[in-house]
Amino acid sequence: MDRVRDSSASVAGEAVELVRVCRAEYRAIGRLTERLRPTRQSIRTLQTQFPHLPPSTLLSIFSQEYQKRMKRSMVRHHAPDVVKEYYQRYRSEAKTRPAAPLLLELANQVDLSPALLARLIVECFLEERQASVASRHVLNNMLREPYLIPDLLLAKHVEQCTVNDCCYGPLVDCIKHAIGLEHEDLLRDKLRERNLSFLDENQLRSKGYDKTPDIILEVPIAVDGHIVHWIESKASFGDDHSHHTYLNEQFWSYCNRFGPGLVIYWYGFISELDCQRDRGILLRDGFPSDIVTLCQGPARSRV
Amino acid sequence: MAALLESLLLGRIYESQNFPFKFSKEEFVPFVLNFLWDQSSQALTHGPTTPAKTPSTSRSRRSAQRPSLGDFMTSPPEAQPLRTAAQRPQEEWGVWWVCVRPSDGNSRCCDGGRRSRGVGRNEPVATKPSRRINPTPVSAERPNSKPKSCFTSTALSLPSSPPTRPESAGAKLTAGSPLSLQEERELLRRERSELAQQTSSPLKTTSAIRTPTKTVHRQGSKVTPDLQSPCPDPDKVTQKSELDLLAELYCTCISENLVPCVFLELFFMLQLLTSRGVSVSESLTWETDCVYFSVRVLENQLVSHLDKCTLRLLSENERVGTFSSSLRDRLAQAQDSCTAKVSVIPFQPATDNRTNFSSDRAFHTFKKQRDMFYGLLREWEDSHKEPGWDFEAALGSRVRTMVSQLTAAGSHSHFAGLFQKQLIQMCKGPCVLGSSNNAPDADLLGMLGADSLGRLKHLQQCLVQPQGLFGPCPPPSFPGHQEFFKHFLQTASCCQLNQHLKDGLCQQLLKLDEVSILAPDASPALGEETGDGDMEQQVRKQRFSTVLLTARLLAQFLSFISFLPYQTTELPSRDIQDAAITLRSKSSPVLDVCAVLRSSVHRRRTILTVHWMVEFLSMLDYAGPFLSCYRTALCLLLQIYKMVLGRGGELCYMNQLLMVAVLGWLFQIPIFPEDLFFSTDLKEEVKELEDITSSQGLDTFPLVDQQLLYTCCPYLGEFRKLLAAFVAGSTSKSGGLIRKITPTSAPVNSRSFWPCRPCAFFHNQPPSLRRTVEFVAERISSNCVKHIKSVSHHLVSFFFFLHVNPCKSIKMFSSFHIFLTLCVVGLCLCWSS
């Protein structure tokens, strides 16, 4: 986990030049991740295979791929009898060898994310104790702070799961949120550095905008020959799935209101996705260095 | 009438009183036009049969002209052209109505049919001078009749006009004998059958143009030798004096605005110029006479305001060169002379945030509507050009879902506002389709670079686009992105939305009509071009062009929505029509067109108002022109055309040209009642119009340039097509179909975005900011220019002084002064570059 945090910090600190990830390469990474578990070892394996890509990019890709995989197998794991069976297995094992990392082992055996398994088991546990379905809020709190779980042994196992899962769980959510904020902040700093006047999301919301990108530039800029009115920061890798979701829920809406804009995928994106430039959505993997402002004459821009 | 013309041509009469008959102008002009058309049409083997609008061409035929020309062209020889020049206006109505009944849809009207149509009306025979019917007089009943007998009046107030005059001028001009006629008929028959074959083959139906090459090809070996000596010789003109006289007569008709559409006549002349005879024996004499006549007319009617490409083609035309070198030189001299993209309407907190909506629900629905609307627009852009794509099938259900959501939330007015703004934003400019709408393939872009890609696309467009020749009067249409908005409204068919749109369009249209285009301090003196004229004139032109293009767009859509409920595909029968007129005469029209028109004449703003009014009236439904308010408006327009424009003088030339062009177009499109143009019951209106109160108005300022003219009247491009087709025909010896692709520069690529960056700046700012900045910029620039001019004036005198007496002057001017002056010079240079 430390490693993850380190790498993200390094990206945030300085603009790392990313090698373009084309779709073919992305597929190759995807194929490799098929067999990997969400552990640090897996990330290391990826790094040896794709040494030219930054670790944070690989982590982001891996995380997204893993989430997709989990979503696919969700139905299988969530069937009531399957859940029952997992719980029974845990219970019987806990009696025989309580010291072992039982939930992690079980997660590996059934190919499920440890954090998700922990959640299922806790849910079953609460159901059994209270004879009713536990509220979401209570459940989330228990996963976030395992000492709230009445069964100490279970609490220990749950903590092992959440700490060792680099794709799911409250810690990962927290880290992702923080990275997101960090990059938004970084973006604002860069804009201030360049003396560009802008409105951020909070200001927009208070003014009553119905859709709010991270940044609206009060004076537009041009990047690579394209005018930019708004900037959205995404601290993740832009793959097909996430990009299309974002397009429909956010980017087109921004385009429809504020004209052409820029999306920064700080951890890179599949280069083929950058095909809507003429339609007003420009993709970048970092803060653009080739900004042309209104004050600069056309002569300079043509250089 | 024929007699009059004949004696005129023979030089027998010079004064009208010498002639026993009296004709009114209204009778004579259509006669002359018909005469010319009839006489020449046999030479017109190519191009669309120019749609006629002298009284009598049946409406259905004109509309048939567009889908398939071949079908249309086969029928005329059978159609016995019937003409009468004189018609009593009050009777025309009825006749017109009966004649355009859908039953005689294909202009194949037999004699019996015609007679029976007359029955029941006052006039026993449908007396219509029919023009533009390919008129070779082939008829089983009258095998020996000559062309001239056709345009001799059949039933009217001219008893002495003989039904068949063996020696009328027509006979001379045709130089045709019964024998050659026989031959001709044979040829026509053959051609007809070939044409019929052509139309049945799907490949050829699309091309409405019969290029000369094709003709040659069809004629096969018979005409091929003709190609070796294709150029008519000016020395071989057979009827020089008569043709001169006729040309003069014709030119007078044109310049006095006695013809319905000036550009139609011009098109006709170009057709004559590029004509090629059908039959070998006669073709050369024929061509020679036609070309001579056409060149004479072109000499008088200077066409120098056509676009460069047309002028080049015309001046390079070998026939123009051989027949009139002076015209060629003048043409050569005269030669010196944007892409729609989804750009969106910005969200403005002041008008678009929650406080502007009645409920949270309405606010959030509208949020979704906006995205849905643009989603539809993008999808339309991507796919509407694909073959087999259908708006209704692809987007219909989504449009309706969207509109029903609107209805549920009651946010029609907001959406109508967005719709209207988006419409204006996308469609007010000239429409360049397909240039940058479809996002180019990234690979292709990388390979070619943006510039070459643009060129490639342009080339592709040239090759793919059917280059049909539609003549200079196409029916009203919704080009480019307008099509989306039109289909959207049709598909949505939501009365609430339409009502809100009508309100909005009407309001903005009238506001634009009133808008001040002249700068507030525009000095009234017209000749005062010396001061800050150039700059201000440029600004004025710019502003005018924006206002005009927006206004015509709004007018077209307002009219479209207003008359949508009454539109029918078929022309309704007269009874139904009458009932509809009675019914609708009680409800008030959406716009008081007459009042607007009159006021524009009084305030001398016709150049703006008439133009959008033409757009408005062009969308009328079938009954529309017979409602008193619209009929009066049409009459007013006629009046303006004949009286105000015909007289010239006060209006600037280009302003006048634009008005003549659009009015001429209106008078030729199907919806304009055919009888109206040559009817005479307009006298009362004249006085009203003459009473011009304001001495100063838009009309007197030069506001129109060539670019605006071509933007507003894209059909003027037909001239170029015609000439280009001729070039293609004359250079191909093989007789194959050649498509000449004139090298043109690709449209400015979207990547050269610098000019639009100031626009980008204003994009998300409130509109008030833009207005403020524009005002300040205008004042500053104006003052700057004044200042620099005065300084440069001093500078000139200073250098003059320097030149005369260097030593003294240098002593006089301290170095500081010189420095200062040089600074200003530098500034001047910077500014001008």
Side-chain angles (χ1 to χ4, degrees), chain A residues 207-211 216-227 229-230 248-249 252-260 274-279 292-298 301-302, chain B residues 341-342 344-349 352-354 363 366-368 370-372 374-375 378-379 381-382 436-440 442 445 750-751 753-754 756-765:
Chain A
K207 283 192 173 191
Y209 280 77
D210 57 356
K211 287 271 184 181
I216 286 188
L217 294 168
E218 286 192 304
V219 181
I221 54 170
V223 175
D224 196 13
H226 294 270
I227 289 170
H229 284 289
W230 51 267
N248 289 332
E249 285 172 6
W252 283 132
S253 299
Y254 301 153
C255 256
N256 295 342
R257 285 162 182 75
F258 316 113
D274 190 14
C275 56
Q276 304 282 7
R277 289 171 161 229
D278 287 339
R279 282 270 172 95
V292 180
T293 57
L294 202 61
C295 314
Q296 288 165 301
S301 75
R302 279 188 199 128
Chain B
K341 224 178 157 189
V342 180
V344 299
I345 300 305
F347 180 96
Q348 291 296 343
D352 294 341
N353 70 11
R354 168 68 186 85
F363 178 58
F366 185 64
K367 178 170 91 179
K368 285 188 208 124
R370 183 193 285 261
D371 290 328
M372 275 172 95
Y374 285 116
R378 287 201 181 88
E379 189 167 334
E381 274 204 318
D382 284 342
S436 78
N437 295 345
N438 9 20
L445 193 69
S750 55
R751 291 190 163 238
F753 59 94
W754 287 107
C756 53
R757 281 185 62 220
C759 310
F761 168 69
F762 290 114
H763 187 267
N764 287 327
Q765 309 292 349

Side-chain angles (χ1 to χ4, degrees), chain B residues 199-212:
Chain B
T199 47
S200 61
S201 97
L203 250 177
K204 294 195 176 162
T205 39
T206 49
S207 84
I209 174 172
R210 290 175 56 202
T211 58

